[in-house]
Amino acid sequence: MKLKIVKGTRDLYGDDVKRFQYIEEKARQVFSVYGYQEIRTPIFEKTELFAHGVGEGTDIVGKEMFLLEDRRGRSMALRPEGTAQVVRSVITNNMMRQNNHLRFYYFGPMFRYEQPQKGRFRQFYQIGAEYFGVSTPDADLELILILRQFFKEIQLHEISFQLNTIGCQKSDCRPAYKNKLIEFLQDHVDSLCENCSNRMHDNPLRVLDCKNESCIAVTSEAPKIHDTVCSDCKDHFSELCHMLDDHQVSYSVNFRLVRGLDYYSKTVFEVFSDNLGAQNAAGGGGRYDGLFEIYGAKVVPAIGFALGLDRLALLTSPEKKEQKSVFVVGTDRGAVCKLVATCREEDIICQYDPFQSSMKSQFRQANKSGAWKVLILGEEELKAKQVSVKDMQDGQQTVVELSAVVGYLKKSVAN
Ligand code: AMP
């Protein structure tokens, strides 16, 4: 059997894991300041959860889900995104019964059958946040401020926010715009790419974010959604823009930004970085005031975002934390292991040579490990129940009683 990793997946270890941990740590820090609680949901759900919520006609559901059948023939899906699940969890656990608003964040792997390339995987990781219960633009503002703060924490400065409104389901809002857009596209169908001419009736908004040059040229002249949305959606959007200006958030309004999922309404946004290459979206989100209703629950206004952890990891280089570690060398295996265990029990980072090679080789390994101090248990030291402690920076050696060495090291760490 030839062992090979599955296409579009990867093992994370070494510096990659350090980057992930660093980003997760900063995210936790920022989310907790804003009162968000972690939620952990399963990595698979009934397929219908995503089909109904995200939408049958979307790429994610229509083309990209990893499906499996359980032993009783029921269709399950590896989660392609997190929002539908968190909403499912709020509903099935009846969480809104005692709360009029809730805030959650999550980390975890998502699965989409896409063509892998730099920054695009079939198993990738997202950090997401969801805010339930608040319909006013304060909630939209809060999420954007979280993003700004988080990017500042991970020292990512070259990012840009794009913002749009895609209206709501009221007949005089998005449906009216869709009709207008379809009418316009019909007059230009010959200039649209094949994909867009096929989807212009079912999903006309997606034509707006097609990357094909000819489609871009056509849609530059298309009616703009801002001019059609209902007064409620219009007010919501302009209030949000005022608030963002007030908080000195820089953003640009992009009428082409529609997001790929059906459940969005009103505000949608995306965060881009020019340093990511072709896959330049670091994250995105939006309001989804209608999703609870789609699942047959009482209406709960909601908004959220998801960030691509794999992509953020390409952009960040965590500051290296100086961790002081010690290395025990010696001639008596039992005594070395005992001292190592004592140090570790006292939270001192401690290594040794498990093969007990020559003293010379043990010293070489101590050096390579970047140890702060080497604890030497030679024959003389053992006889005298002492340890020689060598500082690897200045080469100075001090003899310490074996029973006092932990206290000595702790005191030195503190200095
Ligand atoms: P979406 O909700 O689809 O816009 O996803 C939010 C973020 O997740 C994107 O902006 C990307 O940073 C990241 N993402 C989405 N799909 C993938 C993928 N296949 N591989 C890596 N990251 C992804």
Side-chain angles (χ1 to χ4, degrees):
M1 179 183 165
K2 197 167 171 219
L3 287 184
K4 255 180 118 180
I5 193 162
V6 174
K7 185 175 174 183
T9 69
R10 59 191 182 137
D11 300 311
L12 294 167
Y13 54 92
D15 281 348
D16 280 337
V17 164
K18 285 195 189 132
R19 279 192 205 103
F20 268 55
Q21 286 174 336
Y22 166 76
I23 296 166
E24 287 169 357
E25 198 183 300
K26 295 285 181 191
R28 276 185 206 287
Q29 201 179 305
V30 175
F31 285 139
S32 58
V33 167
Y34 283 79
Y36 285 67
Q37 308 279 328
E38 184 172 357
I39 184 164
R40 299 187 191 200
T41 52
I43 61 159
F44 69 100
E45 295 268 355
K46 287 185 185 158
T47 304
E48 63 193 32
L49 179 83
F50 303 110
H52 287 163
V54 178
E56 308 261 11
T58 60
D59 284 354
I60 291 185
V61 168
K63 300 185 195 155
E64 296 169 2
M65 275 206 293
F66 277 90
L67 298 175
L68 38 125
E69 231 177 48
D70 74 3
R71 289 183 178 272
R72 287 170 60 188
R74 291 169 295 204
S75 178
M76 304 285 161
L78 296 185
R79 60 181 184 195
E81 59 100 52
T83 300
Q85 278 199 303
V86 180
V87 169
R88 197 267 308 132
S89 178
V90 169
I91 296 170
T92 52
N93 293 296
N94 216 352
M95 293 187 211
M96 292 307 285
R97 202 179 46 186
Q98 280 156 352
N99 301 285
N100 57 12
H101 67 292
L102 283 172
R103 296 177 171 100
F104 285 116
Y105 73 87
Y106 59 85
F107 299 145
M110 305 292 159
F111 305 84
R112 293 183 196 171
Y113 197 87
E114 291 188 276
Q115 205 43 47
Q117 53 173 273
K118 186 183 167 213
R120 197 203 268 167
F121 305 94
R122 289 183 177 169
Q123 175 171 336
F124 60 99
Y125 295 80
Q126 285 189 333
I127 300 178
E130 315 290 349
Y131 187 1
F132 301 111
V134 180
S135 62
T136 51
D138 313 38
D140 312 35
L141 172 73
E142 177 173 303
L143 286 175
I144 293 173
L145 291 181
I146 290 177
L147 284 171
R148 180 172 72 168
Q149 193 158 333
F150 168 68
F151 284 116
K152 198 169 137 211
E153 284 290 334
I154 61 170
Q155 290 168 37
L156 267 187
H157 305 294
E158 282 143 23
I159 51 137
S160 58
F161 279 104
Q162 293 189 4
L163 201 65
N164 194 17
T165 179
I166 54 165
C168 66
Q169 289 297 0
K170 275 189 277 176
S171 60
D172 61 339
C173 197
R174 190 155 74 222
Y177 175 68
K178 274 189 177 174
N179 289 338
K180 251 193 206 177
L181 186 59
I182 293 171
E183 225 171 85
F184 171 85
L185 294 173
Q186 262 163 345
D187 292 342
H188 299 82
V189 68
D190 295 342
S191 310
L192 297 178
C193 72
E194 199 187 331
N195 191 12
C196 284
S197 54
N198 288 335
R199 64 184 173 180
M200 60 171 266
H201 288 282
D202 296 335
N203 215 339
L205 292 185
R206 287 312 301 267
V207 180
L208 295 174
D209 76 352
C210 179
K211 304 288 178 282
N212 181 296
E213 275 182 24
S214 167
C215 295
I216 293 176
V218 168
T219 49
S220 307
E221 305 298 321
K224 305 284 181 286
I225 194 160
H226 293 108
D227 304 327
T228 311
V229 291
C230 67
S231 57
D232 185 26
C233 289
K234 210 174 260 180
D235 292 348
H236 186 99
F237 192 65
S238 61
E239 203 179 328
L240 174 61
C241 291
H242 278 129
M243 288 168 139
L244 291 170
D245 294 339
D246 219 24
H247 285 79
Q248 276 120 40
V249 176
S250 24
Y251 63 92
S252 54
V253 177
N254 176 3
F255 77 91
R256 294 185 183 280
L257 190 70
V258 294
R259 309 275 297 140
L261 324 182
D262 280 2
Y263 54 59
Y264 285 116
S265 55
K266 292 189 174 158
T267 317
V268 288
F269 53 90
E270 247 173 285
V271 191
F272 296 95
S273 163
D274 288 341
N275 301 328
L276 278 171
Q279 299 304 314
N280 64 347
R287 191 164 263 290
Y288 48 93
D289 293 344
L291 188 52
F292 279 73
E293 212 178 2
I294 291 175
Y295 288 139
K298 207 176 112 209
V299 175
V300 174
I303 179 161
F305 65 69
L307 296 167
L309 193 41
D310 308 77
R311 295 189 190 169
L312 295 177
L314 289 173
L315 299 170
T316 47
S317 40
E319 69 257 21
K320 288 217 168 23
K321 263 196 228 143
E322 200 52 55
Q323 283 196 314
K324 288 184 170 167
S325 66
V326 303
F327 199 105
V328 182
V329 303
T331 45
D332 182 300
R333 186 189 189 87
V336 167
C337 287
K338 207 153 169 213
L339 181 54
V340 170
T342 309
C343 288
R344 287 174 174 171
E345 276 164 26
E346 293 295 327
D347 295 330
I348 295 166
I349 304 166
C350 186
Q351 297 302 329
Y352 73 109
D353 170 20
F355 306 107
Q356 288 288 284
S357 355
S358 66
M359 283 298 263
K360 202 169 155 197
S361 159
Q362 289 185 46
F363 266 109
R364 239 193 335 261
Q365 290 179 56
N367 225 338
K368 207 169 140 201
S369 78
W372 161 60
K373 288 189 193 289
V374 178
L375 311 185
I376 306 158
L377 280 175
E379 274 164 29
E380 273 178 31
E381 283 93 348
L382 275 177
K383 251 190 250 154
K385 293 198 168 49
Q386 290 177 327
V387 190
S388 297
V389 182
K390 181 173 178 184
D391 187 292
M392 296 302 276
Q393 200 121 58
D394 59 18
Q396 293 238 357
Q397 212 157 298
T398 319
V399 178
V400 183
E401 294 301 312
L402 191 52
S403 58
V405 73
V406 166
Y408 171 82
L409 290 171
K410 287 200 155 174
K411 217 163 125 193
S412 315
V413 169
N415 288 335

